[in-house]
Amino acid sequence: MTSNCADILRLKVGHILNKSVGFVSEVQIEGQEFHVASDLYANSLFGNISLTRIPLGILVAGDVEATSSTECGRCLVNHLNSTSASISELYSEHDNEQSQFTIGDNCELDLGPLFRELLLVSEPIQALCCTDCKGLCADCGANLNQSKCECHEENVSKNLSIVF
Ligand SMILES: [Zn+2]
Ligand SMILES: [Zn+2]
């Protein structure tokens, strides 16, 4: 099921471009279950940002926080992982070497690529479902958070010195 909620990341900024330098507009972004980018799905996203008119275009600054489903590095179970990032990025009005982001001809400022970059970078490399995740049994693959497997109980106490 794909939703078009990513539209909330595309801001119409024509009215800001028409203002003089220094004009600030505060924007709150809130969305549930949508694709920030094709490879980044957010279960929830919240952003508190300000758009400031500057000579080159618009400066986007603020904080964004997203929750997404991530595979635990130990037990491989999907869990919700929240990530936050601070933004301070120039969206230039016209193609410009100083800026990676450009406001479209339709006066649309697309936060999707920026959020994607920030959130993917700040995501922990090995996200765990909980700090004391017990992981999977190396022998039978059982999730040791959910159950104790028999091989584990026996091996640890009796056979450890023989096995290794
Ligand atoms: Zn885990
Ligand atoms: Zn086992």
Side-chain angles (χ1 to χ4, degrees), residues 4-56:
N4 293 322
C5 291
D7 287 348
I8 62 165
L9 298 180
R10 284 195 280 269
L11 309 176
K12 291 282 181 194
V13 293
H15 65 288
I16 299 174
L17 293 171
N18 288 333
K19 293 285 196 305
S20 50
V21 169
F23 175 82
V24 183
S25 173
E26 304 281 346
V27 183
Q28 258 190 13
I29 294 162
E30 207 170 349
Q32 303 282 330
E33 311 202 331
F34 66 100
H35 281 93
V36 174
S38 56
D39 58 351
L40 178 63
Y41 180 81
N43 293 72
S44 70
L45 183 141
F46 184 79
N48 231 334
I49 59 173
S50 64
L51 306 172
T52 306
R53 179 69 165 119
I54 55 173
L56 284 173

Side-chain angles (χ1 to χ4, degrees), residues 137 139-142 149 151-152:
C137 169
D139 296 315
C140 72
C149 60
C151 52
H152 196 73

Side-chain angles (χ1 to χ4, degrees), residues 32-100:
Q32 303 282 330
E33 311 202 331
F34 66 100
H35 281 93
V36 174
S38 56
D39 58 351
L40 178 63
Y41 180 81
N43 293 72
S44 70
L45 183 141
F46 184 79
N48 231 334
I49 59 173
S50 64
L51 306 172
T52 306
R53 179 69 165 119
I54 55 173
L56 284 173
I58 291 177
L59 180 73
V60 179
D63 296 295
V64 57
E65 196 179 318
T67 309
S68 56
S69 185
T70 312
E71 193 176 73
C72 172
R74 278 187 207 153
C75 71
L76 310 181
V77 168
N78 279 331
H79 63 284
L80 287 179
N81 184 46
S82 73
T83 322
S84 57
S86 289
I87 303 169
S88 184
E89 194 70 44
L90 162 68
Y91 274 74
S92 61
E93 197 171 354
H94 308 287
D95 280 336
N96 187 299
E97 282 178 0
Q98 291 177 50
S99 166
Q100 178 182 358

